């Protein structure tokens, strides 16, 4: 998805097209921006993993992604070279976190986490008003989770099997039931939501204890399963087991849907572009 503007409520032009091979996909994005210019800067919020260290010769690359054909692909280089303007770059989930912090469900908060659950699971942590970066961006989708009693599903993560992503992402649901979660109904849907709520709560328990966020925003296609967030809130209360005993962890506003809906990512792109223009 590409858009031109200054924020989610000020979009002058936008386009959405399928992600194909790197050359044609990046080329089509550049063509769109060139036609809609002149622009001040571009922000790219990309699926990952990505290299964010500016001291690395691979800065701006998508690295060891399972998406076919996209490993070790330079994304920032071609865009900067062809458009000749500053380019901001981060993960898609970090971008969504920035967008939600500026205009959405985390506006006014200093420390919060955005978790997306779709074809994979990713998390972006904003701490003290800034995205947390280190050797690499956070990979919250690959934390270990406790197993639901009686569950013998092997997990669907190609790297770790039964990590958070392997037990709760869209492909895990499809592998369990033989079809996507969006195609489930009745008793199967209710059971799928119960299983999903358990594993999402296990993943969020890690987030609560390691980052101490003021709020957790849960987005992505899987998060739209009916009744899921209510189930996650209940399961998270059970998983925390009274520790550390904060009332905030059990309030409905602690785990919420994105305030910007499906526009959180593109809003993050505007924030990244603004930062690139400012040189930060």
């Amino acid at each position: 998805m590409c858009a031109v503007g200054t924020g989610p409520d000020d979009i002058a032009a936008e386009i959405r097209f399928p992600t194909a091979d790197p050359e044609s996909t990046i080329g089509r994005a550049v063509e769109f921006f060139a036609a809609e210019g002149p622009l001040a800067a571009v922000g790219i919020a990309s699926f990952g993993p990505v290299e964010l260290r500016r001291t690395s010769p691979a800065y701006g690359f998508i690295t060891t992604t399972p998406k076919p054909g996209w490993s070790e692909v330079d994304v920032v280089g071609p865009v900067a070279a062809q458009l000749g303007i500053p380019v901001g770059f981060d993960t898609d989930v970090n971008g969504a976190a920035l967008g939600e912090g500026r205009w959405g469900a985390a506006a006014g908060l200093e420390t919060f986490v955005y978790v997306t659950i779709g074809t994979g699971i990713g998390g972006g942590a904003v701490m003290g008003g800034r995205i947390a970066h280190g050797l690499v961006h956070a990979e919250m989708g690959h934390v270990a989770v406790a197993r639901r009693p009686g569950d013998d599903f092997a997990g669907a993560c190609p790297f770790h099997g039964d990590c958070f992503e392997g037990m709760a992402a869209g492909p895990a649901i499809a592998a369990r039931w033989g079809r996507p979660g969006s195609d489930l109904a009745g008793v199967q849907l209710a059971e799928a939501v119960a299983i999903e709520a358990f594993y999402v709560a296990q993943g969020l328990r890690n987030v609560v204890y390691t980052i101490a966020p003021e709020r957790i925003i849960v987005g992505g296609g899987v998060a739209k399963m009916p009744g899921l967030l209510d189930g996650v809130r209940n399961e998270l209360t059970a998983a925390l087991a009274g520790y550390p005993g904060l009332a905030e962890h059990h309030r409905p506003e602690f785990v919420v849907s994105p305030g910007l809906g499906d526009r959180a990512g593109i809003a993050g792109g505007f924030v990244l572009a603004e930062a690139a223009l400012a040189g930060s």
Side-chain angles (χ1 to χ4, degrees), residues 165 169 191 211 216 224:
E165 180 171 299
E191 178 64 10
I211 298 173
I216 301 174
K224 297 177 182 178

Side-chain angles (χ1 to χ4, degrees), residues 36-207:
E36 296 295 334
L39 307 179
V42 171
I44 302 173
S46 171
F47 62 87
V50 298
E51 178 58 78
L52 298 176
R53 294 173 294 181
R54 292 184 177 274
T55 56
S56 169
Y59 169 75
F61 278 57
I62 295 171
T63 58
T64 55
T65 180
K67 190 179 289 291
W70 282 84
S71 290
E72 309 307 327
V73 169
D74 184 3
V75 177
V76 170
V79 174
Q82 294 180 60
L83 294 178
I85 55 179
V87 177
F89 184 59
D90 215 310
T91 66
D92 46 7
V93 70
N94 281 348
L98 290 171
E100 287 290 327
R102 176 71 65 84
W103 295 287
L109 301 181
E110 285 288 306
T111 300
F112 61 91
V113 171
Y114 184 102
V115 175
T116 184
I117 309 173
T119 55
I121 294 179
V126 173
M127 305 178 71
R130 298 178 63 87
I131 287 288
H133 287 156
L135 284 175
V136 69
H137 47 82
E139 286 287 2
M140 298 181 200
H142 294 276
V143 298
V145 291
R147 277 190 169 273
R148 191 174 190 240
D151 185 13
D152 60 0
F153 177 60
C157 174
F159 297 99
H160 309 112
D162 61 353
C163 64
F164 183 15
E165 180 171 299
M167 301 303 282
I173 297 173
R176 280 183 186 276
W177 300 97
R179 56 188 185 276
S182 58
D183 292 344
L184 298 175
V187 174
Q188 283 191 334
L189 176 60
E191 178 64 10
V193 169
I195 293 171
E196 187 70 11
F198 176 88
Y199 285 113
V200 173
Q202 290 297 311
L204 298 190
R205 178 178 183 265
N206 286 309
V207 170

Side-chain angles (χ1 to χ4, degrees), residues 207-223:
V207 170
V208 168
Y209 286 149
T210 56
I211 298 173
E214 299 167 86
R215 183 164 296 156
I216 301 174
I217 303 164
V218 182
V222 172

Side-chain angles (χ1 to χ4, degrees), residues 197-262:
F198 176 88
Y199 285 113
V200 173
Q202 290 297 311
L204 298 190
R205 178 178 183 265
N206 286 309
V207 170
V208 168
Y209 286 149
T210 56
I211 298 173
E214 299 167 86
R215 183 164 296 156
I216 301 174
I217 303 164
V218 182
V222 172
K224 297 177 182 178
M225 295 177 76
L228 179 61
L229 280 193
D230 284 337
V232 169
R233 294 182 185 110
N234 292 334
E235 290 285 359
L236 181 59
T237 292
L240 294 177
Y243 185 86
L246 297 182
E248 288 87 345
H249 288 155
H250 313 300
R251 292 173 181 161
E253 61 268 24
F254 183 65
V255 178
V256 300
S257 299
L260 299 176
D262 293 335

